[in-house]
Amino acid sequence: MLEVSHLNFAYHKQPILHDLTFTVATDEIVGLVAPNGTGKSTLLKNLVGLLTPASGTISLNGHDSRQDRTAFLQNLFFLEDNRNLYEHLTAREQIIYVQQMWRSGVDVDHIIDLLNMGGYKNKRISKMSLGMRQHVLLATYLAANTPLMLFDEPLNGLDPTSMQLFTQIFTQLRAQGHGIIMSSHSVENVTAMTDRTFFLKQGQLTVCNTGDIDLLAKYNEMFEVKALGPEFKL
Ligand SMILES: Nc1ncnc2c1ncn2[C@@H]1O[C@H](COP(=O)(O)OP(=O)(O)OP(=O)(O)O)[C@@H](O)[C@H]1O
Ligand SMILES: [Mg+2]
């Protein structure tokens, strides 16, 4: 269980996260939804310590993020973006690297098969397309095999086939006792697989059970999406 209590964060004087308190179980998928520039990435970075909260506490499976930092970090995985992969490594080398760092013992070649990466497992990251990089990124999460996985826009740049594969993998991970927080721009994707949705607005969270609401209607209501009027002209 991830337990966050009274978390605050500001960039200089601009408050981004205001007194956030929430929990995430290690067998649920939470969608983090908000418009561009609201603070989704900032929240994920605060959870892992890439940014330091001004105040508040975070613990994971009883390990406090400050007092018990090593155990806390061993329980989660977050690789912000496919630009954080090592460009000079091959896909397979990158996956082995993470598997060894997290001492997970997961079978690397099984991950490669699962994600249909056989055709490019020996290609360097620097030579890969966006979709291939997204597969390698997901593969690193499977290689770490941690109770909690934090994803920032994991579905960006995927074709419909890969989207379905990723959705199946996320739901399998949940079934196997992994907790997932994923930010997403796409309300459709969040609807398809999340148990709860966290809407972030003006630094605060509105939490909904995904199945109970029309997510797009709720999004439009919360973030006042306006139709483009006839006055639009180039
Ligand atoms: N390094 C930084 N220094 C100062 N302000 C920053 C910095 N990084 C982000 N911000 C500001 O914090 C706010 C939240 O940014 P963040 O990247 O968390 O948003 P986001 O919800 O992830 O957006 P997107 O959907 O575009 O990825 C924005 O106003 C942004 O300008
Ligand atoms: Mg972001």
Side-chain angles (χ1 to χ4, degrees), residues 97-157:
Y97 173 73
V98 173
Q99 189 253 27
Q100 290 181 347
M101 288 286 287
W102 263 261
R103 301 196 187 104
S104 70
V106 176
D107 180 347
V108 167
D109 292 307
H110 179 56
I111 295 174
I112 289 170
D113 288 345
L114 207 61
L115 290 174
N116 300 324
M117 293 170 55
Y120 55 89
K121 65 181 178 187
N122 294 321
K123 202 188 248 293
R124 284 184 202 281
I125 307 292
S126 60
K127 304 255 161 61
M128 287 189 188
S129 72
L130 171 61
M132 288 172 175
R133 285 166 173 263
Q134 291 294 71
H135 282 70
V136 179
L137 191 62
L138 177 58
T140 61
Y141 282 79
L142 303 185
N145 196 28
T146 51
L148 183 69
M149 302 179 175
L150 307 176
F151 292 91
D152 201 359
E153 310 280 353
L155 304 166
N156 275 0

Side-chain angles (χ1 to χ4, degrees), residues 11-12 14 16 34-43 152-153 185:
Y11 278 118
H12 313 293
Q14 186 194 1
I16 307 290
N36 296 132
T38 307
K40 301 180 295 295
S41 301
T42 302
L43 172 55
D152 201 359
E153 310 280 353
H185 289 115

Side-chain angles (χ1 to χ4, degrees), residues 10 15-16 23 26 29 62 65 82 96 98 100 110 142 149 166 175-176 196 209 220 231:
I16 307 290
T23 59
T26 47
I29 308 181
S65 65
N82 69 55
I96 290 172
V98 173
Q100 290 181 347
H110 179 56
L142 303 185
M149 302 179 175
F166 274 45
Q176 290 170 25
R196 291 191 295 156
N209 288 327
N220 290 346
E231 68 279 5

Side-chain angles (χ1 to χ4, degrees), residues 3-4 10 18 40 58 73 77 106 114 117 134 138 160 166 170-171 194 211 216-217 219 227:
E3 296 176 275
V4 177
H18 179 66
K40 301 180 295 295
I58 304 167
L73 288 176
F77 192 78
V106 176
L114 207 61
M117 293 170 55
Q134 291 294 71
L138 177 58
F166 274 45
F170 287 126
T171 49
T194 67
L216 187 57
Y219 183 96

